[in-house]
Amino acid sequence: MDRSVFGRRRQLVRDAMGQGALVLFSAPEFIRNGDVHHEYRQDSDFFYLTGLDEPQSALVIIAGANPKFVLFVRERDEAREIWDGPRTGTVGAREVFGADESHCIDELAKLLPRLISGHSRLYHRFAVVDAHDGVVMAALREARVRHRRELQPTEMIDAGAVLHPMRWRKSESELTSLRRAIEITGDAHLAAMRAAPRSSYEYELEAELRRVFRAAGSERSAYAPIVGSGPNATILHHIRNDRKIEDGDLVLIDAGCEYEYCAADITRTFPANGKFTDAQRRIYDLVLRAQHAAFDAIKPGATLDDVHAASLHTITEGLIELGFIEGPLELALSEARYAKYFMHRTGHYLGMDVHDVAPVTGKPATFAPGVVITVEPGVYVPNNDDTVPAEYRGIGVRIEDDALVTDHGYENLSKAIPTDASEIETLMAS
Ligand code: GLY
Ligand code: MN
Ligand code: MN
């Protein structure tokens, strides 16, 4: 990954801040038991501005007349590096990561009061990690005493206010990583589809997904893969993936990998034996029509609400036609009668995080070129729903693609993975 991108982002953040000091921390480490940690994944905001994936790090960006980028990192430690691998250290922080100034993380509490003094604005990602809030507040308290003749922060601003509108609109470099994440994820979905007819358990398909992710150089799954067969397809976050797949089941796979800290989020639903039943096909085609309607609503100026409304309209109409809910359409929509079968939103923002950030203004954000969203309508018929014919019970279908808002509409970034039911059957037969 080209490191110059991080310097450009820091400059844009400084421009957005105008003046003040920004303090951000690396993600905390989580102990699993004893001296064993959970897999580490850097905080997205911190990575966005540094490219540094080490724990126990912090950054300070000063904007205004005397701009500065200060990194706090763990010092080199020969003995520890035998166990945990190389550390950047304070020299690497300057030479590799472009810090103007670097210090050992142990110095943070001592040096932070000096760094935040002389500025009226203090930016920090408040209320995420209590311990980090504590460090920032202690520094502020200390600064008011030690540097009382200087200007002190009086405006506390959430760092998300400057960072998240930036992260929301993807640059070319992020799109390159995202496209690769989607490409690898597509290969993984196709591999899992092909493996399904000769697989017995959901976890075998999960293994196939994870194998393709890692073999292609993806760092990790962007979220725990969902492999729901039969009625498990109606459990939205089914991640146990431990059921035996039966002949005649639909299999819903919602999985995406992360590549260079960009997440794919893709769902396909297909028949385990390669052939949809008529009932499965009716539900499937309805969801696909809803997805097409949702896509048609994507353009600059539209909102996630518009995309959701478009898919809701189609799904509600379809559920009435199937006799699952009562019409008329307008009443079914206003009373949310569809909610028994379609209970989630049609999409969310996608980027460094699978449920990505967006500007928070109190109003729905209006799409701009560079924004990426998922488009993922679904229909889930409860297994015990005796108000519908037996052939439909336990059918769950979701189809999820990742769409980039362009100047005049959208680009479906995951269109290489077929969604048409006949195309899926042909693919599985090949
Ligand atoms: N995979 C999580 C979601 O679709 O939102
Ligand atoms: Mn998903
Ligand atoms: Mn999603």
Side-chain angles (χ1 to χ4, degrees):
M1 218 179 151
D2 173 14
R3 281 198 193 286
S4 62
V5 71
F6 301 107
R8 281 202 296 279
R9 289 173 185 168
R10 290 192 296 272
Q11 187 54 51
L12 288 172
V13 162
R14 278 198 203 94
D15 294 345
M17 289 165 65
Q19 53 105 343
L22 164 72
V23 185
L24 282 183
F25 296 81
S26 59
E29 296 168 286
F30 292 101
I31 290 172
R32 179 172 159 167
N33 60 274
D35 59 351
V36 177
H37 288 83
H38 282 282
E39 187 196 352
Y40 189 72
R41 200 272 191 189
Q42 187 56 283
D43 174 76
S44 293
D45 288 332
F46 190 86
F47 191 86
Y48 186 76
L49 293 179
T50 61
L52 176 65
D53 64 359
E54 287 182 36
Q56 296 175 46
S57 315
L59 68 79
V60 178
I61 289 176
I62 305 291
N66 298 300
K68 192 156 71 165
F69 168 42
V70 187
L71 260 183
F72 291 83
V73 294
R74 297 173 306 184
E75 201 40 284
R76 302 290 307 267
D77 179 334
E78 230 172 279
R80 273 320 311 171
E81 287 181 47
I82 289 172
W83 292 87
D84 305 327
R87 295 180 176 186
T88 293
T90 48
V91 174
R94 294 191 301 276
E95 292 182 354
V96 182
F97 291 90
D100 300 310
E101 194 180 307
S102 61
H103 305 278
C104 175
I105 189 70
D106 299 342
E107 302 281 299
L108 181 66
K110 196 176 94 196
L111 299 179
L112 202 50
R114 170 76 270 163
L115 284 164
I116 64 172
S117 294
H119 308 283
S120 66
R121 284 190 198 146
L122 176 58
Y123 291 83
H124 165 57
R125 185 77 179 120
F126 292 99
V128 177
V129 178
D130 290 350
H132 296 163
D133 292 346
V135 171
V136 172
M137 290 305 133
L140 184 60
R141 195 177 307 123
E142 186 73 10
R144 287 171 180 163
V145 177
R146 253 205 273 158
H147 306 292
R148 61 180 170 276
R149 287 187 219 289
E150 291 180 41
L151 186 62
Q152 290 302 330
T154 49
E155 280 180 81
M156 312 298 150
I157 303 175
D158 190 281
V162 288
L163 283 171
H164 295 175
M166 281 176 59
R167 278 180 51 195
W168 183 60
R169 288 184 74 167
K170 278 67 188 169
S171 65
E172 275 313 311
S173 123
E174 285 159 290
L175 287 175
T176 301
S177 305
L178 189 58
R179 283 179 198 277
R180 181 67 185 135
I182 289 169
E183 186 178 37
I184 297 169
T185 299
D187 291 344
H189 275 269
L190 293 180
M193 262 183 220
R194 291 205 178 93
R198 54 181 162 78
S199 299
S200 301
Y201 283 89
E202 293 167 347
Y203 50 70
E204 293 174 52
L205 302 186
E206 177 188 337
E208 192 63 8
L209 295 161
R210 291 189 187 270
R211 181 188 67 75
V212 176
F213 290 171
R214 284 300 276 155
S218 140
E219 302 96 270
R220 58 185 78 78
S221 274
Y223 51 93
I226 296 166
V227 182
S229 64
N232 280 350
T234 68
I235 301 171
L236 299 181
H237 290 165
H238 168 71
I239 56 171
R240 296 180 71 90
N241 303 342
D242 55 357
R243 180 178 173 277
K244 190 165 191 301
I245 302 170
E246 305 286 350
D247 189 31
D249 281 349
L250 280 185
V251 181
L252 182 156
I253 293 184
D254 183 345
C257 76
E258 197 172 294
Y259 190 80
E260 293 177 340
Y261 276 78
C262 285
D265 183 10
I266 294 168
T267 306
R268 289 292 181 269
T269 309
F270 57 88
N273 63 15
K275 190 95 188 83
F276 286 93
T277 66
D278 289 344
Q280 288 168 349
R281 178 78 190 245
R282 276 193 283 276
I283 302 287
Y284 188 90
D285 286 344
L286 169 59
V287 175
L288 190 59
R289 282 201 306 280
Q291 201 206 25
H292 289 158
F295 271 128
D296 287 344
I298 304 174
K299 56 175 188 286
T303 68
L304 285 175
D305 288 347
D306 298 332
V307 176
H308 188 47
S311 90
L312 268 187
H313 189 277
T314 302
I315 282 184
T316 305
E317 215 168 42
L319 291 174
I320 294 170
E321 268 166 35
L322 284 165
F324 285 20
I325 59 175
E326 299 246 333
L329 178 64
E330 289 312 322
L331 198 60
L333 281 167
S334 66
E335 291 186 353
R337 291 181 189 162
Y338 52 80
K340 177 175 170 190
Y341 301 102
F342 179 32
M343 61 298 283
H344 59 76
R345 299 269 299 173
T346 301
H348 52 81
Y349 299 113
L350 183 70
M352 294 185 78
D353 293 308
V354 65
H355 292 173
D356 206 37
V357 294
V360 177
T361 62
K363 285 190 300 222
T366 50
F367 298 162
V371 166
V372 178
I373 66 167
T374 65
V375 186
E376 49 176 312
V379 167
Y380 314 90
V381 187
N383 207 20
N384 60 359
D385 183 0
D386 55 16
T387 68
V388 303
E391 56 182 344
Y392 291 106
R393 293 176 203 160
I395 290 180
V397 173
R398 176 164 65 259
I399 306 169
E400 177 174 27
D401 282 289
D402 302 338
L404 167 69
V405 179
T406 58
D407 287 342
H408 302 290
Y410 71 92
E411 178 189 345
N412 178 359
L413 300 173
S414 44
K415 63 176 177 295
I417 323 162
T419 51
D420 180 79
S422 306
E423 240 182 286
I424 288 176
E425 287 181 342
T426 307
L427 182 116
M428 292 187 69
S430 67

